[in-house]
Amino acid sequence: MTDEIMKRNWHRMPSGLVVYTKDCLKQLIEIQIHGVEPRHDDVEWRSGRPWTQVETTTALFPSRTFAVSSPSYTGLHAVGPLFRLESPGVAVRISWMEFPLDPSVRDDTKPGAEPDVIRLTLWPA
């Protein structure tokens, strides 16, 4: 992984997109699919906290479908749900709302700890 990818926290693949997080054990992934570019919210709606990072890129999904997966899966788990798109080429806004990793501020192993939020907003490119 290059320094640029580490700084951006995402990487466009020939057909797909990889989004990186900062090793939080609890993550909430939100998918929004629109017909046109929607307005961007300045804050994450559940917490009211501002987004930690927002990036916009393009992605290509030749089958006009995609699924979310995790590197922690062994490959034996079912992939899903399957998301369908209007076109194979899309714009993607990636919004992260990550909590501090300082253990004195947060311990994501404790019950009730809030998850990091990653929102993927897609619309035809």
Side-chain angles (χ1 to χ4, degrees):
M1 186 178 322
T2 67
D3 290 341
E4 180 182 348
I5 292 171
M6 291 293 291
K7 181 179 175 184
R8 286 190 321 211
N9 294 325
W10 61 271
H11 179 67
R12 184 176 43 235
M13 304 294 286
S15 59
L17 186 68
V18 178
V19 177
Y20 300 99
T21 61
K22 293 181 176 61
D23 299 325
C24 176
L25 297 176
K26 295 182 179 184
Q27 299 171 356
L28 189 148
I29 300 172
E30 182 179 318
I31 307 293
Q32 296 184 350
I33 300 172
H34 297 269
V36 296
E37 180 179 2
R39 182 181 74 79
H40 176 67
D41 301 322
D42 292 332
V43 297
E44 193 274 326
W45 66 274
R46 282 170 288 272
S47 67
R49 292 183 174 102
W51 294 105
T52 308
Q53 181 178 350
V54 178
E55 300 281 340
T56 302
T57 186
T58 58
L60 182 63
F61 299 100
S63 65
R64 295 180 10 190
T65 61
F66 72 94
V68 176
S69 66
S70 168
S72 62
Y73 281 157
T74 61
L76 303 175
H77 302 285
V79 175
L82 192 62
F83 296 92
R84 299 190 186 282
L85 302 167
E86 291 180 26
S87 65
V90 294
V92 183
R93 183 183 306 124
I94 311 162
S95 304
W96 293 264
M97 199 276 304
E98 295 181 302
F99 289 88
L101 294 179
D102 180 348
S104 67
V105 176
R106 172 172 184 194
D107 181 355
D108 62 4
T109 63
K110 291 183 179 178
E114 295 182 77
D116 285 352
V117 178
I118 298 98
R119 177 189 292 171
L120 300 174
T121 305
L122 300 94
W123 64 92

